[in-house]
Amino acid sequence: MTDKASARVNRETIDVRTALKRGIGELRNANVPSYTLAAELLLLHVLGRDRAWLYAHPEEVLPGLDAHRFLSLILRRASGEPTQYITGKQEFWGFEFEVTPDVLIPRPETEHVIEVALDRLALREIRAGRKPTLAGDGLEIVDVGTGSGCIAVALAKELPGARVVGTDISEAALAVARRNAARNGFADRIAFLNSSLLGGAGVECELVVSNPPYIGRKEKETLMREVRDHEPELALYGGEEGYEFYAGLIAQASETLKPGGLLVLELGHDSLPAVQPLLDLPHWTNVGVTKDLAGIDRVIAAEKA
Ligand code: GLN
């Protein structure tokens, strides 16, 4: 939108329906994916309202300042900035997480990591002849490369007796993760550690989970601009090929896990052939792969032999 156009918007009164229509039009012209949803989220963010309100009050006139703010956010989104960095939040596992450009935006497919971890823990209980109702009492968990802390927080929620350590090489990411643990009420059960991979997490733990950086730098030009130009490189790229972190991660997990302990890792769309051979006897057993909703091999789990 030109300066002239936004000046005009400033002077005229604009109602909810018209503002939304203009926002949608701007984002569509800029080839933003899911442009209607993005415009809605930005308008809700500016107004501090929910979607039901939005559609119940199409005639409501926006205060001039809100109209101006909305259009400036639309311009940011149109230029490629992800909606979540503009609104500062993303939902994951039913919780709202703060996100900043220092952390990867949590993805829905990462929820499979939580599901697989919980299923595998329950299975262990059944095999040990115990009831699979699981509080995770006394369980020590490490989330490697915790980023926003989304995996650590989800596991703390589902396993109220467990303690979680979230590691990250980025101190800036850990600051966000700490706030996410605190705002969701888990600050007392999640500790954060500035380290590369598991380095220093050093506890004899029962579960190691990670969604490591797994995109290949050689794929950089094929990424969406929202990802390529805005999400942190540290969180995205595993190396030239993408799978470079897995070998070190798996070796360290094998040293840190107790016998029978579980490793659950998220995979990149083509990581499996490089990762599966790393999880073999004599160190690992019961290897399983889970597909995501798009049919991509997304999670690999194994048990320390
Ligand atoms: N653990 C965080 C997530 O799953 C961050 C992962 C990362 O930065 N690679 O979203």
Side-chain angles (χ1 to χ4, degrees):
M1 181 176 307
T2 61
D3 285 353
K4 237 193 216 151
S6 64
R8 195 167 64 233
V9 167
N10 269 345
R11 274 195 308 277
E12 73 193 52
T13 58
I14 181 168
D15 62 28
V16 162
R17 179 191 289 127
T18 312
L20 194 56
K21 229 176 114 189
R22 279 195 203 166
I24 291 171
E26 291 286 334
L27 296 187
R28 191 178 43 223
N29 289 342
N31 294 318
V32 167
S34 311
Y35 47 82
T36 302
L37 177 64
E40 282 177 6
L41 288 172
L42 293 175
L43 186 54
L44 296 176
H45 177 65
V46 165
L47 298 176
R49 301 282 191 174
D50 61 21
R51 183 172 278 126
W53 183 92
L54 199 65
Y55 286 97
H57 298 83
E59 324 282 344
E60 186 108 347
V61 171
L62 295 190
L65 203 59
D66 283 352
H68 184 71
R69 269 189 70 209
F70 172 60
L71 289 168
S72 75
L73 300 190
I74 287 289
L75 291 187
R76 283 168 64 186
R77 183 66 194 88
S79 75
E81 199 174 334
T83 306
Q84 294 92 332
Y85 289 151
I86 300 174
T87 62
K89 57 193 183 212
Q90 170 64 37
E91 199 204 286
F92 181 86
W93 203 259
F95 290 106
E96 189 173 286
F97 285 85
E98 175 191 341
V99 293
T100 74
D102 287 316
V103 301
L104 194 79
I105 298 166
R107 304 295 204 271
E109 56 267 29
T110 300
E111 295 188 338
H112 293 305
V113 171
I114 315 296
E115 290 164 359
V116 170
L118 296 174
D119 282 356
R120 286 294 198 111
L121 288 171
L123 203 64
R124 268 193 352 172
E125 295 301 294
I126 293 169
R127 287 207 318 247
R130 292 186 289 264
K131 274 210 299 195
T133 46
L134 206 70
D137 285 334
L139 219 62
E140 300 278 352
I141 300 171
V142 182
D143 172 24
V144 180
T146 196
S148 63
C150 61
I151 296 177
V153 166
L155 288 174
K157 151 85 180 12
E158 296 302 327
L159 302 166
R163 295 192 57 83
V164 186
V165 177
T167 75
D168 208 287
I169 196 163
S170 160
E171 193 58 71
L174 288 174
V176 176
R178 278 192 195 96
R179 290 199 292 274
N180 279 323
R183 76 187 278 177
N184 289 300
F186 300 110
D188 55 335
R189 284 197 293 120
I190 308 177
F192 292 101
L193 184 68
N194 188 207
S195 82
S196 168
L197 299 182
L198 273 114
V203 282
E204 282 245 290
C205 65
E206 247 125 346
L207 171 62
V208 172
V209 290
S210 183
N211 173 22
Y214 56 57
I215 299 173
R217 280 192 186 275
K218 64 177 190 189
E219 296 174 74
K220 184 167 179 174
E221 292 319 311
T222 69
L223 298 178
M224 286 168 56
R225 61 185 177 147
E226 283 80 1
V227 178
R228 184 190 61 225
D229 300 340
H230 295 275
E231 297 201 74
E233 295 213 341
L234 266 178
L236 292 177
Y237 301 113
E240 194 51 31
E241 299 299 323
Y243 52 71
E244 286 86 341
F245 277 117
Y246 289 97
L249 183 50
I250 288 169
Q252 290 187 19
S254 153
E255 283 166 24
T256 306
L257 283 168
K258 294 179 183 165
L262 287 170
L263 174 64
V264 181
L265 302 176
E266 184 165 327
L267 298 171
H269 68 95
D270 58 356
S271 319
L272 186 64
V275 178
Q276 193 144 25
L278 303 169
L279 290 168
D280 231 337
L281 286 168
H283 297 299
W284 301 97
T285 171
N286 287 330
V287 178
V289 177
T290 305
K291 289 185 190 300
D292 65 16
L293 298 177
I296 295 167
D297 295 315
R298 187 56 72 188
V299 178
I300 194 161
E303 217 165 280
K304 188 175 164 179

